[in-house]
Each structure stands twice: as C-alpha cells, then as structure tokens.
Amino acid sequence: MYRDRHEEYVFAKDLNARLREYSGPRPSLWDRWRPDRVVTMAALLILIFAALILMPNHFFNPELRSVTLMLGALGLWRFGWWFNHAIRAELYARGMWPDMRKAADRIWDAGWRPRRLHIQMTTYKENVAITRVVIGSIVDQVRREGIPTTLWIGTGHPYDEEVIREYLETHAQDADIDVTFVRQNQPGKRMAIGLILRGMARYVTDPDDLVIFMDGDAAYGPDVMRKCLPLFAADPELQALTTNEEVICYGPEWVQSWLSMRFAQRRLAMQSHAFSEKVLTLTGRMSVFRAKHIISEKFVRTIEADHLDHWLWGRFRFLSGDDKSSWYHLLSHGSKMTYVPDAMVYTIEVIEGSGWTRMVENFRRWSGNMLRNGARAIALGPRTCGFFIWWCLIDQRLAIWTMMVGPALALMALSIDPIYFINVIIWVVASRILLCSFLFRYAREPDLKWPFILYVNQILNACVKIFMIFHLSKQKWANRGNQTSKAGTGRVAQMQNGIAKFQLYTAVATFLTIVAIMAGYLPMPI
C-alpha cells in the first residue's frame, strides 16, 4: 500500500490521532452545532419553507388526488415505523439499559473476571499500521483488566503473522496472552473461522468461557472488555451481544459521511431491537458469545459451509455473512441477545479506487446476506424470534418495494403535472431533514449532507435488493482473496440467468403496473 516508510509513518500517525480524537468525550452541544452549521441548517429550512409557500400546491390536483392519497398513506406507515423504532430506542436507552449497566458494573467492581477469554480474529494482508493499532487495543485492555486470554488469529498469509508476532514480542511481554496462528488451507474467511473454532474445541474450551469474534480492521475503544464481559455474569440467560461501532474512513469525504450516517441508523435500530432482547445481526466487527454455542459441531459447520437450497440456483454456499450465520444459529434456539451502546469499536475503512463502486459492492454484499438469511429466519416464526423481531424481518422485505413507490409515482406524475413533481421533491427533502433530526442524536457530529445522502442510500439500496432477490447466488467479496461465486458455464447457467432476468423484469413490470392502477394512471382490469 505504501511507497516508502515515510508514507507508512504518516498514515500510522494520522490513524492514531483520529482514534484518540474519536475515543475522547463527545463534543459539546455548542461544538457539534457550530455557528456555521446552525447557519447552514437555518438556510436549508428557510429554503424549504420558502418553497412550500411560494410554489403552487398541486398535491390536491383532481387528476392526481389518488397519487397524493397513496403517498400520504405510505408516508404515514413508513414514518410511523421509523418513529416506533425511535421510541423503542429511547425506552431501551433510558429504561432497560441503565439497570443492565449497573448490574454488570457491580459484578465487575466486586472482582469478577471470566475464567478465560478467547478472541477469534481473521486477517488477510492487512495494512501494517491498522494491524498494530488493532492488536495494541487488545493488549492494552487485557493487560489493564488482568484477563487470561488466548488470541486465535486466522491468517491466509505469513505477512500478517510476522507483523503480529513482532508486535506481541515487543509490546505484550507483561500481558497474559497466548497466541495461536491458524493458517487456513482453503480460501475464504468462513474456512478460517471454522479452523479456529475447531482449534478451540480441541483446546478443551470451557462452555462458560467467553469468545469474542472480531475482524482484523476493528480497533477497541476504551473499556470495551470491561463494559461487555460482565453482562454475561449479570445475566445467565444472555448468550451473545454486539457493540456500538464508529467508522474511520480513508477515502472520499462523501463515503465517510455515508458510512457515518449508516452507523447512526444502526445505533437507533440496534437499541430498538435490543428492547426485545434480540438483535438482527451479531456483527462480525465485534460480537461476544458464550463458548458453549460456538464450539458445537453444528455451529462450526454452519460457519464453514452455510448454504441455501434454491429452486433455480440449486445448492450454493455463502461466501460472506458469517455474522448472519452465527446470528441465525442463536436465533433458531431462541437465544437472548443484546446490544451494548456504550462499548465502541472503530472500523477502519481504506477505500482504494472508486468510492461509488465500493458503495455498490457493499450494498450487494449486505443486501445479499440479509436476503439469504431473512427468509429462513422468518420461517422460524414469531414464537421463536419474538413478534417484534419477526415483524422487522418481514418489514425488511416489504420496504424494498415500498421505497420505490414514491419515485415511481412521482415520475408518472411528471407527464401530467410537472409542478406536482417539484412538490414531491420538496416533500422528500423536508421529510429527510426530519428523519435526520433523529439520526443526529446518534451521531458524533451532525452532517447536513445526510438528508440528501439518506435518500440516495434508500433508493440505491432498494434497487440493489430488488436485483439480488432474483440473483441470490451471485456473490462477490473483495476481501480475503477477492472471492467471487462461480457463475457456472454452459446451457444450464445460461438458462438460470435467463430465468432470473425474466423474473426480475416481470416483477418490476408487475410492480409498476399495480402502482399505476392504484394511482389511477391505468384502468382497473375487468
């Protein structure tokens, strides 16, 4: 990645400075809402109000009244669902979570420590400075908290082993850490994790030991272990948890804004889900499990060879999404899971090449993982999942199509009344400002680009998901050897791709037809 040692030094220095800044206290209200931001927000609101007052209001155009009713009903539903999440998030943060934190702190302050902590981490030709920061964050907390720890490192190349070994020999002599390198003999992160878990099982890991799953580009914030581990001692029914996350991005500024916005959305949603004592994913960046689950042969095989049997694509294995597989395994057992809002882990993203391409690739990976796991999770039913989490899984699929109703109606209205189209644009901007006013509460600092990024994010994400519904076997993951699912060759593959395209085009055409009929653009078929 670097042309010389100086570049490496500059990157490492900047990364450590940004971590110190992010790990510090949250900026005060005055610092977050600096005068320039207040002026920009005020100007934006004035423009919106001016547009609402000065532009003719064609929402009640008799020719488009049915469109307005559809948009209004859909808006009430989607925004009502958003506000429901916001209320639940506050109930968790102000009602449930403080008691959980107090109980965990009492146990920790009384001297409780896990018998042994196992940390499972995979890495593949990672940046040297990032690896050192990540390992350093682990060593610092193990040393300070006095926890006997085994560090299991899944690698695909000796390069990473040399960097980690050198760092531990230099900086971790006084920490109670055993390190085991597990060199994978088959490609892919899943196989690396599977080999590690088999090693843990042979190590005679105690069922009540705690196991951290993490990635090689995720650095611990202050007191992550202290904040997470005693929750298991305070609640014997708790089986897994995941933490808060923030992103440090080296790449286009708009990518940093986009990722920061997504993490703010994640915080709100995670707190809402945790109010039901479940979450919708056990994030691979940082999650903690009781060992009794992850050393079982069924769990290991799920991680190594999770797959889907599809009527069109046959049986295909998942490349990424190991966090969704581990989540599904625990969800299928009705296990209690939670989210720790005050334990922060920092994801370090280095964007090389086009930020737009990276954005689309991430959407394809995230959307594919969600869709491949969502259907089977829904099939577990509300009794196993809990009604709210089960309905969230259903809503994820409904939102794919409902998100596209507004743009479709607006474009159809453009041929009838261009002013109506402008009215819809004003509504979109105003509504996204309102939504982002909730997200700003979950952000380190407000970003006034978010209302516009949010809408682009929603539209692009829905489009990618619609494509992925009919191409579930199509997988690409740029990490760990740039894996790509085999598309197949010959007439069978051509037939499969042809059928998938036919389904996609038919579904989109059917969707547009139904929307046009409901809006009154097309007559109701007799």
Side-chain angles (χ1 to χ4, degrees), residues 187-188 190 306-308 313-320 364-365 368-369 372 467-468 470-489 493 496-497:
R190 285 179 173 272
D306 203 0
H307 62 273
L308 192 64
W313 302 106
R315 173 169 292 190
F316 60 90
R317 294 174 65 173
F318 302 161
L319 294 183
S320 60
R364 286 192 62 176
R365 180 163 58 89
N369 292 337
R372 283 185 285 270
F467 174 83
M468 290 303 300
F470 305 101
H471 298 83
L472 287 177
S473 68
K474 306 297 183 183
Q475 303 172 71
K476 182 178 180 181
W477 196 27
N479 297 328
R480 302 192 72 83
N482 195 24
Q483 304 166 73
T484 304
S485 61
K486 295 180 180 179
T489 58
Q496 289 174 321
N497 287 313

Side-chain angles (χ1 to χ4, degrees), residues 78-94 265 267-273 275 388 434-435 437-439 441-442:
R78 298 314 310 172
F79 288 111
W81 184 242
W82 182 289
F83 295 147
N84 179 47
H85 275 302
I87 293 170
R88 289 173 55 88
E90 286 298 311
L91 291 173
Y92 179 75
R94 298 175 183 273
Q265 289 178 292
R267 293 181 192 110
L268 187 153
M270 279 287 192
Q271 289 187 182
S272 172
H273 300 153
F275 192 62
F388 183 79
L434 177 61
L435 294 181
S437 67
F438 286 86
L439 293 182
R441 295 192 67 254
Y442 296 89

Side-chain angles (χ1 to χ4, degrees), residues 11-31:
F11 177 83
K13 184 177 180 181
D14 182 75
L15 175 58
N16 280 283
R18 293 180 69 174
L19 279 169
R20 285 193 298 272
E21 176 189 354
Y22 278 51
S23 298
R26 188 185 186 193
S28 65
L29 182 64
W30 177 254
D31 289 333

Side-chain angles (χ1 to χ4, degrees), residues 232-308:
F232 290 90
D235 185 355
E237 294 183 3
L238 180 64
Q239 305 303 319
L241 61 79
T242 193
T243 66
N244 196 351
E245 291 185 41
E246 187 58 271
V247 63
I248 297 176
C249 178
Y250 288 89
E253 183 181 351
W254 69 266
V255 177
Q256 173 74 66
S257 295
W258 168 61
L259 291 172
S260 295
M261 182 201 71
R262 286 189 61 89
F263 279 114
Q265 289 178 292
R266 178 183 182 273
R267 293 181 192 110
L268 187 153
M270 279 287 192
Q271 289 187 182
S272 172
H273 300 153
F275 192 62
S276 293
E277 299 184 338
K278 295 283 192 302
V279 293
L280 282 187
T281 185
L282 290 167
T283 313
R285 302 289 189 184
M286 170 67 181
S287 293
V288 190
F289 301 79
R290 290 192 190 272
K292 66 181 181 180
H293 295 286
I294 61 93
I295 60 175
S296 70
E297 178 66 18
K298 184 177 180 180
F299 183 90
V300 175
R301 286 303 297 159
T302 297
I303 294 295
E304 288 178 336
D306 203 0
H307 62 273
L308 192 64

Side-chain angles (χ1 to χ4, degrees), residues 143-410:
R143 178 190 295 117
R144 183 172 65 251
E145 309 300 352
I147 305 171
T149 301
T150 301
L151 187 57
W152 302 82
I153 310 291
T155 68
H157 197 277
Y159 165 84
D160 300 287
E161 298 170 10
E162 292 170 6
V163 173
I164 294 170
R165 186 180 291 111
E166 178 188 3
Y167 186 92
L168 292 174
E169 289 174 354
T170 305
H171 300 282
Q173 293 296 325
D174 58 341
D176 189 0
I177 297 180
D178 297 327
V179 62
T180 300
F181 291 106
V182 181
R183 180 83 63 83
Q184 64 190 95
N185 53 16
Q186 296 183 53
K189 180 183 178 184
R190 285 179 173 272
M191 294 308 300
I193 296 176
L195 289 171
I196 289 173
L197 298 183
R198 293 185 183 281
M200 285 186 190
R202 289 194 298 271
Y203 184 81
V204 194
T205 303
D206 189 277
D208 285 328
D209 288 349
L210 298 180
V211 181
I212 293 176
F213 276 37
M214 63 177 293
D215 286 344
D217 58 358
Y220 293 171
D223 299 326
V224 165
M225 292 184 184
R226 185 190 189 285
K227 292 173 179 176
C228 291
L229 305 184
L231 289 165
F232 290 90
D235 185 355
E237 294 183 3
L238 180 64
Q239 305 303 319
L241 61 79
T242 193
T243 66
N244 196 351
E245 291 185 41
E246 187 58 271
V247 63
I248 297 176
C249 178
Y250 288 89
E253 183 181 351
W254 69 266
V255 177
Q256 173 74 66
S257 295
W258 168 61
L259 291 172
S260 295
M261 182 201 71
R262 286 189 61 89
F263 279 114
Q265 289 178 292
R266 178 183 182 273
R267 293 181 192 110
L268 187 153
M270 279 287 192
Q271 289 187 182
S272 172
H273 300 153
F275 192 62
S276 293
E277 299 184 338
K278 295 283 192 302
V279 293
L280 282 187
T281 185
L282 290 167
T283 313
R285 302 289 189 184
M286 170 67 181
S287 293
V288 190
F289 301 79
R290 290 192 190 272
K292 66 181 181 180
H293 295 286
I294 61 93
I295 60 175
S296 70
E297 178 66 18
K298 184 177 180 180
F299 183 90
V300 175
R301 286 303 297 159
T302 297
I303 294 295
E304 288 178 336
D306 203 0
H307 62 273
L308 192 64
D309 290 309
H310 192 270
W311 72 269
L312 176 60
W313 302 106
R315 173 169 292 190
F316 60 90
R317 294 174 65 173
F318 302 161
L319 294 183
S320 60
D322 53 278
D323 51 348
K324 283 288 190 181
S325 295
S326 58
W327 163 79
Y328 174 74
H329 178 86
L330 267 69
L331 184 70
S332 65
H333 289 80
S335 300
K336 184 176 182 179
M337 299 173 260
T338 197
Y339 167 70
V340 186
D342 61 357
M344 184 70 77
V345 172
Y346 297 96
T347 297
I348 305 165
E349 290 278 357
V350 179
I351 309 296
E352 296 178 338
S354 168
W356 180 260
T357 300
R358 180 66 171 269
M359 181 183 190
V360 173
E361 286 181 352
N362 281 345
F363 274 140
R364 286 192 62 176
R365 180 163 58 89
W366 297 334
S367 300
N369 292 337
M370 183 275 284
L371 291 168
R372 283 185 285 270
N373 285 275
R376 62 182 185 179
I378 291 171
L380 294 174
R383 181 171 297 180
T384 299
C385 299
F387 180 79
F388 183 79
I389 295 298
W390 180 74
W391 180 252
C392 284
L393 292 166
I394 294 176
D395 181 73
Q396 283 183 334
R397 293 181 168 251
L398 295 175
I400 296 172
W401 298 100
T402 58
M403 186 62 234
M404 300 306 296
V405 171
L409 288 173

